Amino acid sequence: MAAAASMMPYFAQQISSKNDLVPDWMGQEVSTGTTIMAVEYDGGVVIGADSRTTTGAYIANRVTDKLTPIHDRIFCCRSGSAADTQAIADVVTYQLGFHSIELDEPPLVETAANLFKASCYRYREELSAGILVAGWDRRKGGQVYCVPIGGMMVRQPVSIGGSGSSYIYGFMDSNYKPDLTKDQCLDLTAAALSLAMERDGSSGGVIRLASISESGVERKVILGNQLPKYSTH
Amino acid sequence: MEKRCTDSQVKGVSTGTTILAATFDGGVVIGSDSRASIGGEYVSSKTINKVIQVHDRIFSCIAGSLADAQAVTKAAKFHLSFHSVQMETPPLVIAAASVLKELCYKNKDELQAGFITAGWDRKNGPQVYVVSLGGMLISQPVTIGGSGSTYIYGYVDAKYKPNMSKEECLQFATNALALAMGRDNVSGGVAHLVVVTESGVEHVVVPGDKLPKFHDE
């Protein structure tokens, strides 16, 4: 716990900020320090996120929706700077919508992921955005693509992101198995996000879940008092 | 995946590491990886043992600067054995933890080392104590430390239960270390585990190729 907080000499354990005259939020950019997750299953994807947006130590929005629709069956999960991710998502929504009209058919998830990658890579010096692109298309079914800071893109069956994700790598590695059902994916996502939200100060609030498949998008919210509980010790 | 800052603030050889200790019904399990590195670029030792015996039934795991940790444990072992001779009884686990804490707190400006102290004594049974970087001392049923521990907070929170059996606890500790070593580049090598109970001390070493494997390996 405290020993693990960091290797930095004694900054890590202060109870309050150094300067109490100026509120913390006046100097900080709005960030979705966050936990996001996306899992593929046979026939679709499940995506999930917490709901906290912070400016420094102030929670600017405790009911944020970080699961942003890009197209009918394609969503993105946003982490990093709130402004940057909203701007990129708007640009990609426009580009993908235009492309889909030209093609006269629903766009591929891989196309959406490549559009995100193109923007994140070109402007990598100015941006601070970690994005998970997930959705369903007719060609390859459910897919999850990870576009972290820096602008690489890779497809993974399960992917986590955001500041809270560090705490759940071990849980994910041990609990994910290939060929889970949709309900198992929803349970796994809810459990993983709860664990991260309990440990990461920048993640919290409610859990927003969505499952995307051929038949459409189902959204769910798990409220704070309904979260799976783990801190019994 | 988030970009993580891996600049080590520790000069020289550091145990960028994963250490843990957990109580079970009748004893404690203490474990660590075995890698010592310089700033995440060079592994200076693949096989160091970070679980140090400070008394018959009390062990400490070290994290941070290896030099600082070795100096502090050497001083602590001396203080503890002297205390034990004076009291004519084996020391309490909290005594061992307090000795480490005093050294860490009084010298906080110069030191960069944290400890997990765990063991068994007649008065309070199995216990685990954490002495952190600035010298705070607290007791917990299970605790993890070192750079690799960030990746297993979720796993430990979900999987640890109080009063497990010895075998369950050993499996839990092995899995936790394997998961952390799989994600943290400055943790690795073999898993050193020590089981301390009233009846004695058992050392278990799990070599790298015998560690549990997970879905993507």
Side-chain angles (χ1 to χ4, degrees), chain A residues 7, chain B residues 8 10 12-18 32-50 62-67 69-70 147 181 184-190 192:
Chain A
M7 290 310 191
Chain B
S8 176
V10 172
V13 180
S14 97
T15 58
T17 185
T18 312
S32 78
D33 71 307
S34 70
R35 180 173 291 184
S37 57
I38 303 188
E41 279 157 11
Y42 172 66
V43 176
S44 49
S45 170
K46 295 187 270 187
T47 52
I48 77 162
N49 189 353
K50 302 172 198 177
I62 53 183
S65 153
L66 202 42
Q70 287 184 339
S147 57
M181 282 154 59
D184 184 27
N185 67 327
V186 288
S187 298
V190 308
H192 286 289

Side-chain angles (χ1 to χ4, degrees), chain A residues 4 162 166-167 169-170 173 199, chain B residues 1-2 149-151 154 157 183:
Chain A
S166 316
Y167 303 105
Y169 274 105
D173 286 342
R199 285 290 182 179
Chain B
M1 286 165 285
E2 270 307 272
S149 67
T150 25
Y151 304 107
D157 283 345
R183 286 289 182 181

Side-chain angles (χ1 to χ4, degrees), chain B residues 130-145:
Chain B
V130 173
V131 176
S132 62
L133 234 43
M136 174 184 81
L137 169 63
I138 58 170
S139 170
Q140 291 183 302
V142 60
T143 193
I144 53 182

Side-chain angles (χ1 to χ4, degrees), chain A residues 13-36:
Chain A
Q13 287 155 54
Q14 289 169 337
I15 308 283
S16 59
S17 72
K18 282 196 162 143
N19 187 352
D20 287 321
L21 297 174
V22 176
D24 191 36
W25 48 263
M26 283 180 65
Q28 305 270 359
E29 195 194 328
V30 177
S31 125
T32 54
T34 187
T35 315
I36 51 179

Side-chain angles (χ1 to χ4, degrees), chain B residues 54-55 60 69-83 95-101 103 115:
Chain B
V54 293
H55 210 268
S60 256
Q70 287 184 339
V72 172
T73 39
K74 195 165 167 197
K77 268 168 127 169
F78 161 73
H79 283 297
L80 206 56
S81 78
F82 191 74
H83 167 75
S98 298
V99 166
L100 286 165
K101 180 262 294 176
L103 291 165
F115 301 87

